[in-house]
């Protein structure tokens, strides 16, 4: 097992990565929430992972998919917690991917004005991103994740053994999010020699997850509430969110999982950074190589409309009212504001020509 600590002072917590990490749950809870006498386990029907919190517990099943991320589900959970007599000193345990940890974390943040929670993350995407860092929340019709709270878990268990049950597209989605980390962090992966980013490809799965978690832990510890630096965790995401938003249009032109969209967004961000003179060809090629190495495509889906994508990008809440992108450069990826829409359109055209 590999343990990584998210260093947040008196709210610091451990993330344990490895095969069978879920079996540490009972010990972990008695260490980090010693006051707990009862537990509320929140999960989804299709998640084939049983946990033993070592305490009397009740299971709460939320709907499948993004439908679970709604205020009505938070209300149902909180009413269920109240009926199960969960007190402020008890513990909520989220067992699932990002949808479950987001909604259970927000219910925990809200119930009794804040109950401790522990994440048992069961997807690759969740293990390398959503389960760590304390962003919890739900969607409203006006936008995704528009209602939520920063509420840090007391511990996170990333059991790599359970990943073997993931469907192939879920793997692909996690790998897209992993590809992002090849360019982040102080590990040298964002170095200028052209090679280090690809090193993430060469290690075993649990080491890959642990490396991604270490980078995320360091970034979250340095900027918990996304004042600035934490934005780098959205590397590749501005175009990805636009592609995902466009995909939900009336004619549903393509079917992309989140990480698959991030992979395209990484190649786009590198191409835009080169257009703006921030990086050279070799660095763009490294992005393409890493994305391919994770068995993903960096090409725009057929039928992508540049003007429409720019409109969606401008609406992205992470864009802070102007067209902001996380772009690679001599110091690695960093937020760059006030990008001209014409540059974005030209970059999308360039990608279409080279695909
Ligand atoms: N998923 C991006 C973040 O946690 O900040």
């Amino acid at each position: 097992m590999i343990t990584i600590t998210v260093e947040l002072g008196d709210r610091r917590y451990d993330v344990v990565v490895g095969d069978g990490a879920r079996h540490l749950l009972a010990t972990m809870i008695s260490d980090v929430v010693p006051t707990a006498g009862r537990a509320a386990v929140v999960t989804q029907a299709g998640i084939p992972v049983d946990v033993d919190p070592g305490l009397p517990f009740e299971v709460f099943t939320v709907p499948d998919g993004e439908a679970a991320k709604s205020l009505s589900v938070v209300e149902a959970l909180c009413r269920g917690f109240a009926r199960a007599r969960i007190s402020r000193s008890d513990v909520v345990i989220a067992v699932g991917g990002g949808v479950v940890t987001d909604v259970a974390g927000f219910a925990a943040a809200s119930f009794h004005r804040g109950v401790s929670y522990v994440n048992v993350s069961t997807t690759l995407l969740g293990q390398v991103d959503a389960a760590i860092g304390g962003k919890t929340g739900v969607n409203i019709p006006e936008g995704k994740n528009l209602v939520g709270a920063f509420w840090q878990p007391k511990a996170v268990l990333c059991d790599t053994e359970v990943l073997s049950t993931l469907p192939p597209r879920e793997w692909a989605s996690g790998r897209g999010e992993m590809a992002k980390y090849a360019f982040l962090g102080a590990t040298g992966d964002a170095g200028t020699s052209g090679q280090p980013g690809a090193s993430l490809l060469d290690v075993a799965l649990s080491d890959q997850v642990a490396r991604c978690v270490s980078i995320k832990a360091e970034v979250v510890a340095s900027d918990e509430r996304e004042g600035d630096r934490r934005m780098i965790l959205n590397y590749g995401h501005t175009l990805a969110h636009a592609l995902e938003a466009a995909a939900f249009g009336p004619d549903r032109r393509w079917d992309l999982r989140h990480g698959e969209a991030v992979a395209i967004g990484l190649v786009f961000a590198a191409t835009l950074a080169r257009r703006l003179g921030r990086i050279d060809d070799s660095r763009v090629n490294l992005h393409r190589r890493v994305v391919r190495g994770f068995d993903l495509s960096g090409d725009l889906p057929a039928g992508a409309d540049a003007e429409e994508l720019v409109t969606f990008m401008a609406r992205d809440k992470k864009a802070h009212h102007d067209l902001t992108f996380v772009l690679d450069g001599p110091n690695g990826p960093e937020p760059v504001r006030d990008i001209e829409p014409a540059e974005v359109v030209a970059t999308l055209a360039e990608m279409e020509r080279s695909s």
Side-chain angles (χ1 to χ4, degrees), residues 40 62 75 130 132 178 198 223 227 246 250 259 279 294 323:
V62 297
E75 182 182 3
I132 305 146
M178 256 188 189
D223 178 22
I279 58 171
F294 278 107
L323 219 38

Side-chain angles (χ1 to χ4, degrees), residues 129-130 132-133 135 177 180 216 220 226 230 233-234 237 318:
D129 192 34
I132 305 146
K135 277 189 183 176
E177 200 67 56
K180 162 188 96 175
K216 177 142 193 185
V220 168
E226 200 168 303
R230 185 166 175 166
L233 295 173
N234 294 317
H237 281 57
K318 305 253 165 60

